[in-house]
Amino acid sequence: MNSINKFLVILLAAIIVLAGVGGAAAQNDRYHIVTTIFPIFDFTRIVAGDTMSVTLILPAGADSHSFEPTPSDIMTVQDADLFLYIGGESDGWVDRILSSFGDKKPATVALIQSVRGLNEEIVEGMQHDSSHDEHDDDGDEYHDENDDEKHDDDDDNDESDSHSHSDGVIDEHIWTSPTNAILMTEKIRDALSALDPANSALFAANAEAYINELKQLDADFRSMVASSKRKVFVVGDRFPFRYLAHDYGLEYYAAFPGCSTDNDPGASTVAFLIDKVREYNLPVVFTLENSNQVIAKTIADATGARVEVLNAAHNVGGNANLEQTSYLSIMHENVEKLREALN
Ligand SMILES: [Zn+2]
């Protein structure tokens, strides 16, 4: 082989190698992860780093409980390399569109199966609307469907089998517990690694660093509760903090359970909450993010307590910058708000 031919062979080999590398990189760039609500979006972008594009379906300011996807949202989900959602009561639209996709379904993970689920709880004084009973029936159906999907997805999480399948509705607000946020982050890490094994070491490192921050958040909640003189709080709104209250041994009273679509409490519910604020002499009555605050303000007017927002982090506000908001910053603010309310 003369030197020119040798040069051409080497050049050709180099082009093939470069094309291969370029092709893999280009494909890698296109991995597109679609998420339903803010906490999943936040955990995923942190674990993925710059390697994948991550989309939040819920528009800023939208209510996740009444969300209905646009045709373009449906296409975004169908085109995803991986679709991550909670799998709770607010995700009826997810079940509908996934079944409409037939065989052209994206890979999916329902994160509710990565934690130990707790049933929604009706506490004393809570407005227990009749639609909640209807949910109970839907709940059973939904869990059956989910179990089927789970076997399609991945079989690497033994804990997912431990969540309660008893009667009642599993509360969907799993992310309000930092401990659950850790389990969700681990599940997301594993799902991204399955999709893109070449970057699994990066995902593992990103997840580990983030989990350390979540452990610190958990420790902050624990020490705040341990040093607080009260262990009870009142939310004049829906109650999406079942997992938070459970983790930290807090008692609570609220107007509605977490999934309630009712926002008009009876006079007896409001009177009951006013009595509780007086009985415990509570300085704060909570409302939620994106709430009209009417119930909390009524309780505050009657008792002299002040209204504060306890943020369940379903979504970011209407003019929020996604880059400047994080689950951690929202939850650290909640630590401080609870500290005020419990002291
Ligand atoms: Zn909710």
Side-chain angles (χ1 to χ4, degrees), residues 39 173 175-176 240-241 288-289 310-315 330-331 334:
H173 304 92
W175 65 89
T176 60
F241 301 104
L288 298 183
E289 79 277 14
L310 201 57
N311 191 333
H314 294 88
N315 195 8
I330 290 170
M331 293 299 278
N334 286 339

Side-chain angles (χ1 to χ4, degrees), residues 241-275:
F241 301 104
R242 171 92 169 88
Y243 294 88
L244 185 86
H246 177 266
D247 274 15
Y248 303 119
L250 292 172
E251 206 184 330
Y252 65 90
Y253 298 96
F256 311 105
C259 78
S260 180
T261 50
D262 197 346
N263 52 18
D264 187 16
S268 63
T269 291
V270 175
F272 178 87
L273 296 176
I274 288 170
D275 282 350

